[in-house]
Amino acid sequence: MPIQVLMPALSPTMEKGNLAKWLKKEGEQIKSGDVIAEIETDKATMEVEATDEGTLGKILIPEGTADVAVNTPIATILADGESAADLAKAPAPAAKAAESAPPAAAKAEAPAPKAAPAPQAVAEPDPEVPAGTEMVTQTIREALRDAMAEEMRRDADVFVMGEEVAEYQGAYKVTQGLLQEFGAKRVIDTPITEHGFAGVGVGAAMTGLKPIVEFMTFNFAMQAIDQIINSAAKTLYMSGGQMGCSIVFRGPNGAAARVAAQHSQDYSSWYSNIPGLKVVAPFSAADYKGLLKAAIRDPNPVIFLENEVLYGHTGEVPKLDDFVIPIGKACIVRSGSHVTIISWSNGMTYALKAADELAKEGIEAEVIDLRTLRPMDTETIVNSVKKTGRAVTVEEGWAQSGVGAEIAARIMENAFDYLDAPVTRVSGKDVPMPYAANLEKLALPSAAEVVEAAKAVCYR
């Protein structure tokens, strides 16, 4: 069957590009590695290389075509022994091709067009929950389980792998019941070797499958960091958009309860530093379900940071056939006008408790749950700070190079003139997590510290 050449991406965020020039003509013989075309965006120009040998059978998108969507078929390669008559056997071009603009007309003596501003990623709003929708109360572990089960029913390419996910029903019972419904081919117990099974998952994703890789804790994912970053995160860019990796790495992140330093580190800032990864860290049961479903469907590798302390917490989840929350959109969970408190994951526990205490003293805090750390919803943060004039970030991780530092920098860059006080950070103390319960409590942030920070920026 003829092989389609798809419009590649220069980066994980690229959606469209211009097909500047064809360097090969229809009927020409090509070899793997031959440069056949040039594409360009407002930032760069890239050569398109053939990945297969044969004859350039048909050019589907003429040179000069602007705004060609990524993954649109742009040409067809005929293998040895195939002829023009075989072109009809090629898969029909995806609907995305219709989004491409036609080739530019012959240039007249017209002024050169002004360079368009760089496109800004706009996060989608939350799905609207219809009035009267039934809400079910679930624990977070149940919401996660339902998200995986629904996506596995929807797509046969989705499977789960990790330590104790099958026979034991999950170390935290998050995968309970999945083995019984989907069988051992799609719910796979692995040896205790994170580097090994993470690599197997990445390889499976590169062939088109959609693995959900569970780590018993993200502390153990340190063994797999090369597979996650050098293989999963970077391959799409290094292959010029030709090799994707739709994979979810999920499991508990950060402190639990008296499991000491090697089981308590928060890796939010580590992973959110890496281009090519998306990083999600929800708080509510509904967000856990909706965002995990979105992560499984995402064509990019997603780090899904859960929290062991929250697994047993309950919340209302909309009972809908397909409840999906878009990655990259923060949520204002409490409106206020005096100070903005920004957090995510278990940090929201301290933020919300602090907001309740502050309200008793006449300080109305606006609380933002980031939900996604990369891409970060800067717009929601900045708009809130422009309203309140003050900001406090809350995280269980360490302050140095933390997510709170990134938020503070973005506020400085985008809302400096609106600030009435410096941005303040509340974070875990700069020490490996102690084992003793009293010391562990001191090492973590507290609602009292958030209250103190908020009052300080309000000069109270």
Side-chain angles (χ1 to χ4, degrees):
M1 181 179 289
I3 300 161
Q4 289 187 335
V5 180
L6 303 181
M7 181 70 170
L10 287 172
S11 72
T13 57
M14 175 179 159
E15 295 180 354
K16 297 180 180 180
N18 303 329
L19 206 160
K21 181 167 54 175
W22 281 103
L23 302 177
K24 296 285 186 179
K25 297 178 181 178
E26 290 183 0
E28 282 193 49
Q29 290 290 318
I30 56 175
K31 296 179 180 179
S32 179
D34 283 356
V35 177
I36 60 175
E38 289 183 357
I39 63 170
E40 57 186 29
T41 67
D42 58 336
K43 294 183 174 67
T45 299
M46 188 179 95
E47 296 174 336
V48 179
E49 295 182 357
T51 57
D52 299 273
E53 296 187 1
T55 303
L56 186 57
K58 187 173 181 60
I59 292 175
L60 303 175
I61 304 293
E63 64 180 38
T65 302
D67 295 334
V68 181
V70 169
N71 290 330
T72 298
I74 60 175
T76 303
I77 296 175
L78 297 172
D80 289 342
E82 292 181 329
S83 65
D86 294 303
L87 289 171
K89 299 178 184 177
K96 281 190 174 182
E99 300 173 6
S100 305
K107 292 183 180 178
E109 292 185 8
K114 293 182 180 179
Q120 298 295 316
V122 179
E124 301 174 37
D126 278 4
E128 200 170 309
V129 179
T133 298
E134 181 183 352
M135 306 296 284
V136 294
T137 300
Q138 288 188 306
T139 64
I140 283 172
R141 62 165 54 88
E142 290 169 340
L144 288 167
R145 178 204 62 205
D146 285 359
M148 289 186 283
E150 289 176 15
E151 291 306 301
M152 291 173 78
R153 293 180 197 122
R154 176 181 174 272
D155 188 342
D157 288 335
V158 178
F159 68 98
V160 181
M161 64 188 301
E163 297 159 355
E164 300 184 346
V165 299
E167 296 292 343
Y168 190 66
Q169 307 286 302
Y172 307 98
K173 298 300 181 269
V174 172
T175 54
Q176 192 163 27
L178 297 185
L179 175 64
Q180 285 69 28
E181 180 174 352
F182 300 102
K185 286 189 176 181
R186 296 183 65 194
V187 185
I188 305 167
D189 276 329
T190 66
I192 304 174
T193 169
E194 284 77 13
H195 180 76
F197 68 75
V200 170
V202 171
M206 288 179 178
T207 68
L209 297 177
K210 298 175 182 177
I212 305 168
V213 176
E214 177 178 308
F215 294 119
M216 198 174 290
T217 162
F218 265 93
N219 292 269
F220 299 161
M222 290 283 284
Q223 300 289 330
I225 203 78
D226 179 61
Q227 304 285 12
I228 296 170
I229 294 176
N230 279 331
S231 296
K234 298 178 181 177
T235 296
L236 181 65
Y237 180 83
M238 294 179 71
S239 68
Q242 296 176 78
M243 291 180 65
C245 188
S246 180
I247 187 169
V248 176
F249 298 99
R250 51 155 295 271
N253 169 66
R258 287 172 295 287
V259 289
Q262 293 174 331
H263 295 71
S264 300
Q265 187 165 332
D266 183 344
Y267 289 90
S268 301
S269 62
W270 282 47
Y271 290 112
S272 63
N273 182 248
I274 307 298
L277 292 178
K278 293 186 178 181
V279 183
V280 180
F283 172 66
S284 71
D287 289 347
Y288 265 95
K289 181 177 182 180
L291 284 164
L292 182 56
K293 285 169 68 71
I296 294 168
R297 297 181 190 185
D298 201 287
N300 303 287
V302 179
I303 304 295
F304 199 92
L305 301 175
E306 300 161 10
N307 187 278
E308 184 180 339
V309 174
L310 295 177
Y311 279 142
H313 287 209
T314 58
E316 291 191 330
V317 180
K319 191 175 182 180
L320 295 171
D321 291 336
D322 198 23
F323 178 67
V324 181
I325 294 175
I327 292 173
K329 180 64 180 173
C331 177
I332 298 174
V333 297
R334 179 174 178 142
S335 295
S337 57
H338 298 137
V339 59
T340 299
I341 301 176
I342 306 145
S343 194
W344 57 95
S345 190
N346 198 38
M348 287 294 297
T349 304
Y350 315 114
L352 290 171
K353 287 180 179 177
D356 288 339
E357 292 301 315
L358 289 165
K360 296 174 184 177
E361 301 187 39
I363 299 174
E364 293 300 328
E366 182 148 292
V367 182
I368 296 176
D369 181 359
L370 278 185
R371 305 193 296 190
T372 302
L373 304 181
R374 186 182 185 103
M376 187 180 289
D377 186 359
T378 306
E379 183 181 8
T380 295
I381 298 169
V382 168
N383 287 342
S384 177
V385 172
K386 285 181 177 179
K387 178 175 69 173
T388 65
R390 300 168 175 86
V392 175
T393 68
V394 184
E395 62 188 309
E396 288 193 328
W398 297 309
Q400 167 113 14
S401 307
V403 178
E406 176 64 23
I407 295 169
R410 295 191 186 201
I411 292 171
M412 295 292 188
E413 291 167 354
N414 296 283
F416 180 79
D417 291 337
Y418 293 86
L419 287 173
D420 294 321
V423 178
T424 299
R425 294 177 290 162
V426 176
S427 66
K429 310 308 180 292
D430 197 21
V431 61
M433 184 62 68
Y435 176 76
N438 60 330
L439 297 179
E440 179 183 67
K441 185 177 180 180
L442 292 172
L444 290 168
S446 67
E449 290 173 341
V450 180
V451 168
E452 183 182 356
K455 291 172 71 174
V457 298
C458 291
Y459 303 110
R460 295 280 291 275

